[in-house]
Amino acid sequence: MKRRYLFIVLIVSFIIELFLSFNFIKTNESYTNDPVKINELVKNIENNNKPNTDFEYTLFDSNENIIYQTNNNLSKNLVDAYKNRDTIIDVNINNIPHKLVISNKLNKIINNNRKKYITLIILISIIQLITFIIYYIVLYIYTIRPFKKMKKFASRVSSGNLDIPLTMDRNNNFGAFTEAFDVMRSEIKKARSDEKKAIEAKKELVAKLSHDIKSPIASIKSSSELGLEISKEETTKKQFKSINQKSDQINTLITNLFNSTLDEMEELNINPINLKSSIIKDLISNSDYLNKTKKYTIEDCNIFADRLRLQQVFDNIYINSYKYANTDMEVKSYIKDEFLVISIKDYGDSIKKEEIPLLTEKFKRGSNVKDKDGVGLGLYISKELMKKMNGELDLDYDNGFTVIIKLRII
């Protein structure tokens, strides 16, 4: 059914209601007796003639006693006559005042109109009920059902199902919207396809770069091994040994790039195990190839960590310190609660205190290092790695920049 048909039905039902209401008002108007016939009746009574009339009346004397009554169901006194809205006329019979009460048949009119009123209410109710049912059916077909359809479509899109199109129906209230929604679905599907292609291209690029980087790393490792063999000075041997260890570490990290990117830290393979805390000195020594760290001690305990990833954390800390501070460094260790705490402090330029919490976020750097190269990923990566090892990484500044590493004790 077209919406214009509903409008016609509503108009027709309204007209019918008006007609019935007007008819009820007409039939409910007060009953009025013919004044000419009333005058004839009065003259006949005053002349003591027996009236020939269809009127139902009661004749009262001056004391309101009933002299004559055409029907026993008429008013018994003047009070009743007033209540029944009868016609009351003064008449003189033999010069004696009397009261003539002519019945207006109000009770009969009320009873008749009551039946008409009940019939009218029933008819109007039926018409309104039918109109409401028709309205609901049209509303459901052209509004509610299309809306439910769009709601299901939105749920499919939000869950990632972009293959099922939204059927277009221009005859309902959402015709134009269904077309726009389906265009949106197509655009989202295209955007996701392009995103997938971009991710695949990025992974392919990382794989190619990793392969290309492995070749010079292998050459560096070979050269460092050769230098280690032919060197005679202990200091030189230590440097070549450090180069060799770094080459192995870089080679391992490059291998990880085949399966992970910086934006997908959760995919990195992290396997924390039970380790002796004494390894920390070796890890710091490997990271501090410029020997900036003063003498320190490490508390003896067992820690839960991945050696390779912990080495990566220390490397990031020392690389940042070399790049931005380039000062001596101080390492302290102590046990607090369930953690072995390692604090690494340098004495570089001051940093704003409000910037400290931001430095462990991705691509965030201090305002005092904007003139130096860097992208702000070292501390972010280190904090993520520490979380994967059930540890923590915090920052502080007190007459120097401090990185606090918390390793869980087991």
Side-chain angles (χ1 to χ4, degrees):
M1 182 182 288
K2 300 294 185 181
R3 279 169 287 182
R4 61 176 176 268
Y5 294 162
L6 173 62
F7 181 76
I8 293 172
V9 170
L10 291 173
I11 294 296
V12 170
S13 66
F14 180 72
I15 292 173
I16 293 174
E17 289 183 18
L18 285 179
F19 173 78
L20 292 174
S21 300
F22 179 76
N23 186 60
F24 172 75
I25 294 171
K26 286 281 290 181
T27 57
N28 200 36
E29 289 179 348
S30 299
Y31 182 85
T32 304
N33 291 313
D34 189 348
V36 175
K37 291 182 178 181
I38 290 175
N39 287 332
E40 291 179 357
L41 175 63
V42 170
K43 287 182 179 180
N44 286 327
I45 291 174
E46 288 179 341
N47 297 326
N48 291 316
N49 296 326
K50 185 176 181 180
N52 182 15
T53 180
D54 294 330
F55 290 134
E56 293 182 350
Y57 63 91
T58 303
L59 182 64
F60 294 94
D61 62 16
S62 58
N63 296 320
E64 293 190 18
N65 296 316
I66 297 175
I67 298 176
Y68 178 76
Q69 195 172 39
T70 59
N71 191 327
N72 291 330
N73 295 324
L74 301 180
S75 302
K76 302 300 182 183
N77 50 59
L78 293 180
V79 175
D80 290 341
Y82 284 118
K83 288 181 180 179
N84 294 329
R85 298 181 182 178
D86 293 335
T87 303
I88 302 173
I89 301 172
D90 292 324
V91 294
N92 290 314
I93 302 174
N94 299 324
N95 294 321
I96 298 174
H98 290 72
K99 293 287 185 182
L100 177 65
V101 177
I102 302 174
S103 175
N104 287 329
K105 303 177 183 179
L106 182 61
N107 291 331
K108 186 176 180 180
I109 293 172
I110 290 174
N111 290 331
N112 290 336
N113 286 348
R114 182 182 292 114
K115 294 179 181 179
K116 291 181 180 180
Y117 180 77
I118 293 173
T119 303
L120 175 64
I121 291 298
I122 293 173
L123 287 174
I124 292 177
S125 299
I126 292 173
I127 292 171
Q128 290 177 339
L129 179 61
I130 294 173
T131 305
F132 176 79
I133 292 172
I134 295 173
Y135 176 78
Y136 178 80
I137 292 172
V138 174
L139 182 67
Y140 181 83
I141 293 174
Y142 292 100
T143 303
I144 298 176
R145 188 168 64 183
F147 181 79
K148 288 183 177 180
K149 191 174 181 181
M150 292 176 64
K151 184 179 178 181
K152 290 180 180 178
F153 172 79
S155 298
R156 289 200 305 268
V157 171
S158 64
S159 62
N161 185 354
L162 301 172
D163 297 323
I164 302 176
L166 180 62
T167 306
M168 300 180 193
D169 186 1
R170 297 180 182 276
N171 293 323
N172 62 57
N173 293 331
F174 298 95
F177 292 102
T178 55
E179 184 176 3
F181 268 56
D182 197 63
V183 171
M184 178 190 70
R185 175 195 64 82
S186 301
E187 291 298 321
I188 293 175
K189 184 176 181 181
K190 182 177 179 295
R192 288 194 177 181
S193 177
D194 293 341
E195 181 184 11
K196 185 178 180 181
K197 290 179 181 178
I199 292 174
E200 292 298 327
K202 180 180 179 181
K203 289 182 178 180
E204 184 179 352
L205 176 62
V206 170
K208 289 179 179 179
L209 288 174
S210 300
H211 181 270
D212 293 340
I213 292 172
K214 279 189 175 183
S215 297
I217 290 297
S219 299
I220 293 172
K221 181 174 175 61
S222 299
S223 300
S224 65
E225 289 176 346
L226 178 60
L228 183 61
E229 290 296 327
I230 64 176
S231 297
K232 295 181 180 180
E233 295 183 4
E234 193 62 32
T235 303
T236 305
K237 284 185 176 182
K238 183 179 178 181
Q239 295 295 334
F240 277 119
K241 186 177 179 180
S242 177
I243 293 172
N244 195 27
Q245 290 174 342
K246 292 297 179 183
S247 298
D248 290 335
Q249 183 182 344
I250 292 172
N251 188 60
T252 303
L253 294 174
I254 289 172
T255 302
N256 288 332
L257 290 176
F258 283 101
N259 303 312
S260 173
T261 65
L262 290 174
D263 294 328
E264 298 167 342
M265 290 295 299
E266 64 275 6
E267 296 183 10
L268 287 174
N269 185 22
I270 300 176
N271 298 305
I273 58 174
N274 186 356
L275 298 173
K276 289 286 186 181
S277 61
S278 57
I279 68 160
I280 294 176
K281 276 200 168 187
D282 295 333
L283 300 179
I284 291 177
S285 178
N286 293 336
S287 300
D288 186 23
Y289 57 87
L290 295 181
N291 296 320
K292 296 282 188 178
T293 305
K294 300 176 183 178
K295 288 185 179 182
Y296 62 94
T297 59
I298 299 294
E299 297 291 335
D300 188 23
C301 60
N302 291 335
I303 58 174
F304 185 67
D306 182 323
R307 178 167 183 151
L308 175 63
R309 301 308 175 189
L310 191 55
Q311 180 69 76
Q312 191 175 350
V313 170
F314 284 121
D315 285 349
N316 286 333
I317 293 171
Y318 274 86
I319 288 171
N320 277 349
S321 180
Y322 289 170
K323 182 188 295 185
Y324 301 125
N326 196 24
T327 64
D328 289 339
M329 303 180 70
E330 181 181 347
V331 175
K332 293 181 180 179
S333 78
Y334 55 91
I335 294 175
K336 183 177 181 181
D337 298 330
E338 299 177 351
F339 293 98
L340 172 64
V341 182
I342 309 294
S343 68
I344 304 173
K345 180 178 182 179
D346 62 38
Y347 300 93
D349 294 337
S350 62
I351 184 170
K352 295 178 181 178
K353 202 159 188 176
E354 60 269 18
E355 293 179 340
I356 294 291
L358 303 176
L359 298 182
T360 54
E361 295 183 12
K362 192 185 298 184
F363 306 118
K364 297 292 184 180
R365 304 172 70 203
S367 57
N368 61 323
V369 297
K370 289 184 177 179
D371 58 334
K372 297 183 180 180
D373 295 334
V375 293
L377 283 171
L379 292 175
Y380 163 74
I381 293 173
S382 298
K383 185 165 186 174
E384 292 298 315
L385 292 175
M386 289 305 302
K387 285 182 182 178
K388 296 293 183 180
M389 293 185 284
N390 291 337
E392 298 177 11
L393 185 145
D394 296 319
L395 306 178
D396 192 17
Y397 186 86
D398 184 14
N399 295 324
F401 184 72
T402 304
V403 180
I404 302 168
I405 296 173
K406 296 180 180 179
L407 295 160
R408 189 167 295 277
I409 298 174
I410 56 176

